[in-house]
Amino acid sequence: MNNANTSLREKNIVFIGFMGVGKTTVGKLVAEKLYRNFIDIDKKIEEKYNMPIPQIFEKVGEKAFREEEKNLVKQYCSQKLKVISLGGGAFLQEEIRNVCLDNSIVFALDISWDSWKNRLHMLIDSRPVLQNKSAAEIEELFYKRQESYSYHHSKIFTDNLEAEEVADYIIEALKTSWELYD
Ligand code: S3P
């Protein structure tokens, strides 16, 4: 499972961060710019169950969702040259954190609560963990989750940045580290 011998240049690039921060959008852009395959773990889970995530939570349950999430992350993180976007709850699982940190370059996309709360209306219907919660409870979840995003190799604060700018910043950072350390 461990591909620690993979050169820095070939390591997967993994995106973590709270729901709706832009992991999929930025991940796709980075993958395009580096000519790599893009893997969206949530999408892979939906394909496996052949239903959208809210329905998976409802019919199969969150426990099975989290198990599948773990298995898929392990599967893709043991490969190389992938760009992988994780669901916002994935890094709550220690096994997922470890496999990603050992085998990939992990970028945490960060956002302030003030910016994020304006996106809530676009996310609520497709994110079961946000449903049936008051605004105060969602804010609490936002801050509680931050600890899990502190496990990373690099963090980018995305407030006031377009996805394209975030992706370009990441590409520059990667190129610099490849030149310096590989
Ligand atoms: C979740 C985040 C979602 C998805 C699922 C659970 C979470 O992914 O995995 O709804 O617990 O934070 P995004 O972060 O892509 O929204």
Side-chain angles (χ1 to χ4, degrees):
M1 181 59 63
N2 193 311
N3 66 1
N5 290 330
T6 306
S7 72
L8 192 60
R9 210 176 271 267
E10 288 185 325
K11 275 183 189 278
N12 298 319
I13 295 155
V14 166
F15 288 101
I16 62 165
F18 201 60
M19 285 162 272
V21 70
K23 300 178 294 282
T24 301
T25 311
V26 172
K28 270 188 193 158
L29 286 170
V30 168
E32 270 171 33
K33 287 171 195 277
L34 294 176
Y35 303 98
R36 291 190 183 196
N37 286 335
F38 175 67
I39 309 291
D40 184 330
I41 297 294
D42 282 344
K43 201 152 168 258
K44 294 284 174 200
I45 302 172
E46 290 184 325
E47 282 167 12
K48 157 108 205 257
Y49 287 104
N50 197 24
M51 49 180 133
I53 286 174
Q55 232 175 310
I56 300 175
F57 268 63
E58 197 192 313
K59 294 203 155 60
V60 192
E62 181 171 354
K63 196 163 178 275
F65 173 88
R66 297 296 177 197
E67 196 56 29
E68 194 55 42
E69 184 173 46
K70 184 176 71 193
N71 293 337
L72 285 164
V73 173
K74 281 177 159 179
Q75 179 189 327
Y76 285 105
C77 277
S78 64
Q79 301 174 8
K80 54 187 180 182
L81 289 165
K82 300 270 180 289
V83 176
I84 306 168
S85 151
L86 267 51
F91 255 42
L92 294 172
Q93 299 195 60
E94 193 183 354
E95 250 184 281
I96 293 187
R97 290 201 302 264
N98 289 342
V99 79
C100 290
L101 291 164
D102 286 350
N103 298 300
S104 308
I105 304 172
V106 178
F107 284 96
L109 298 187
D110 192 18
I111 186 169
S112 68
W113 166 253
D114 275 344
S115 291
W116 185 85
K117 69 181 182 205
N118 300 322
R119 302 183 184 181
L120 176 58
H121 67 282
M122 297 185 288
L123 303 169
I124 192 115
D125 290 341
S126 55
R127 306 309 200 278
V129 293
L130 296 177
Q131 281 157 23
N132 305 313
K133 282 191 173 65
S134 66
E137 285 168 333
I138 292 175
E139 183 173 0
E140 198 187 324
L141 179 73
F142 177 90
Y143 285 111
K144 209 168 147 207
R145 284 285 182 83
Q146 299 307 314
E147 199 264 336
S148 71
Y149 310 135
S150 66
Y151 301 91
H152 58 71
H153 295 114
S154 182
K155 179 163 92 171
I156 300 105
F157 188 60
T158 63
D159 278 30
N160 307 318
L161 289 180
E162 296 296 329
E164 193 79 37
E165 293 174 299
V166 178
D168 286 341
Y169 174 85
I170 288 164
I171 302 284
E172 282 312 306
L174 284 168
K175 284 187 176 161
T176 305
S177 71
W178 290 337
E179 274 161 30
L180 282 174
Y181 303 113
D182 237 6

